[in-house]
Amino acid sequence: MTIESQLRDRVAASVDQGFAAQIAFTQDMIRFASVRGAEHAVQDFVFRALRERNYAMDRFEMDRGAIERHPGGAVFSEDHSAAPIVVGIHRPRNETGRSLILQAHVDVVPPGPAGMWSHPPFDPVIEGDWLYGRGGADMKAGHAANIFAIDALRRIGLQPAATVYVQSVVEEESTGNGALMTHLRGYKADAALIPEPEDEMLVRANVGVLWFEVEVRGLPVHVREMGAGANAIDAAYRIMGELRRLEAEWNERKAGRAHFETEAHPINLNIGKIEGGDWASSVPAWCKLSCRIAIYPGVSAKEASREIADRIAAFARSDNFLANNPPSVEFNGFFAEGYVLEPGSDAEAVLARAHQDATGQPLKSFMTAGYLDARVYALYDKIPTLCYGPYSQNIHGFDERVSIASLKRITTAMALFVAEWCGTEPSET
Ligand code: ZN
């Protein structure tokens, strides 16, 4: 038996030994209904868990000025979370290996109507191989795996021989400002690993994401004089039509773009929320659309936002009502650019070996069409950033669930990755 295969078997056995506690920890995390702005308690829970394990602790607020000045920072809307960022720092006795950021977010998207769920959304029920719960897959399971992968090494008398930052952030589902704040705080490492639920694959390319709000205002009148009044909801529908045309054009621009041209529809515009009007018998005076659109890696957020604003302004000039009542466009969330993980990094090679050892399968990579915090480390730290995590179903939907067997394989792969990337030394405890 080679030294490598001995280590693999010991690590796998150790992950297995700690796995019941890991699942219980994940369930504890799911019980916190940590939607945007309500992540304080779960961040305190994470802080305690890391401090108990003797990490050096750092807990800090967002620096609004620094974030808003950064080209990848999103403006602070009134819904912005004020919860702190938590970082646990492992420092080895001898810094001989390569340093690592293990990152995860604790914020979760709203569960929607509880009646659409088979179990209450924040009740971490296990059925067969599935662990249910809002935010369980995205990404409290990965969050716990960051902590328990290191625990698994400690259990067999090893610890990373390089600095490891275990980062617990907020605002991943709305701005990405939490990850950006860790960068602005000055944290940097030789690689980053973020165990988002990626179906045991590695993210090769990821779109950027913009959030924006379009508001139409018109003159309210009684419906019997409707010809004289402008209906803001009707006008907003016409703008939606124009935005769909823009979306179609952006999808045509996939031609010639590696990782995107073979995708049927890489750029998705989501009109996620619509509000407007006050009364069934009054012509609506206002209507507001909350939108999210993707951009290709390499496209700047600033240029894309200008194109959207210009496009809506041009359309408004061609519309009888909107020409006199120009709609407002406000970028009120994600202002994030996409990234590509260039093949050939040593970090990827180490993960590929760890994945093969843990799962018996070669590591596949793919393109994802949703926002990832990985962009902060890839674009601004310019380090290999590995987004890789367990099988899941229905993230952001009803009955969100993560595969327990997959979580164990992923945790094993992560522990093996840390052992090879950082190297190991005898643990202190
Ligand atoms: Zn996520």
Side-chain angles (χ1 to χ4, degrees), residues 118-346:
S118 306
H119 315 284
F122 297 105
D123 189 3
V125 169
I126 293 173
E127 263 178 23
D129 184 45
W130 295 109
L131 169 58
Y132 286 78
R134 166 59 82 237
D138 184 12
M139 60 170 301
K140 288 168 172 173
H143 195 304
N146 280 342
I147 298 170
F148 280 78
I150 306 271
D151 286 359
L153 296 178
R154 288 230 173 89
R155 201 175 295 111
I156 53 173
L158 299 173
Q159 65 180 18
T163 301
V164 178
Y165 301 105
V166 180
Q167 301 182 342
S168 182
V169 307
V170 300
E171 283 284 321
E172 193 274 348
E173 301 288 5
S174 42
T175 61
N177 283 346
L180 185 61
M181 190 61 225
T182 65
H183 164 77
L184 292 169
R185 182 87 167 171
Y187 288 111
K188 190 170 174 170
D190 295 321
L193 172 63
I194 306 181
E196 287 272 14
E198 305 296 1
D199 295 345
E200 301 194 10
M201 293 186 287
L202 176 64
V203 174
R204 173 68 63 207
N206 179 229
V207 295
V209 172
L210 303 177
W211 269 18
F212 59 99
E213 246 174 30
V214 184
E215 185 163 11
V216 180
R217 289 190 169 271
L219 185 71
V221 294
H222 192 280
V223 275
R224 73 186 169 217
E225 303 148 50
M226 204 162 127
N231 185 318
I233 292 178
D234 285 342
Y237 266 91
R238 295 196 295 278
I239 292 172
M240 280 166 63
E242 184 66 4
L243 288 171
R244 288 290 170 211
R245 287 186 284 277
L246 179 69
E247 179 193 23
E249 283 172 33
W250 283 14
N251 274 292
E252 283 164 22
R253 293 182 201 168
K254 70 184 177 181
R257 283 180 190 273
H259 315 299
F260 292 89
E261 65 180 340
T262 54
E263 297 288 326
H265 198 269
I267 299 295
N268 291 316
L269 165 70
N270 188 53
I271 301 184
K273 197 164 115 183
I274 177 163
E275 303 161 272
D278 301 297
W279 187 250
S281 293
S282 298
V283 179
W286 64 283
C287 185
K288 204 194 275 188
L289 307 173
S290 300
C291 309
R292 168 269 188 215
I293 198 165
I295 57 177
Y296 297 106
V299 172
S300 91
K302 205 170 180 178
E303 275 167 39
S305 67
R306 199 174 296 137
E307 185 176 347
I308 292 166
D310 288 352
R311 185 69 175 248
I312 292 171
F315 177 73
R317 285 194 293 276
S318 74
D319 182 280
N320 277 345
F321 164 59
L322 291 169
N324 293 319
N325 300 276
S328 67
V329 181
E330 197 192 330
F331 290 82
N332 65 334
F334 288 120
F335 204 73
E337 293 170 13
Y339 76 95
V340 173
L341 173 70
E342 295 300 342
S345 70
D346 204 25

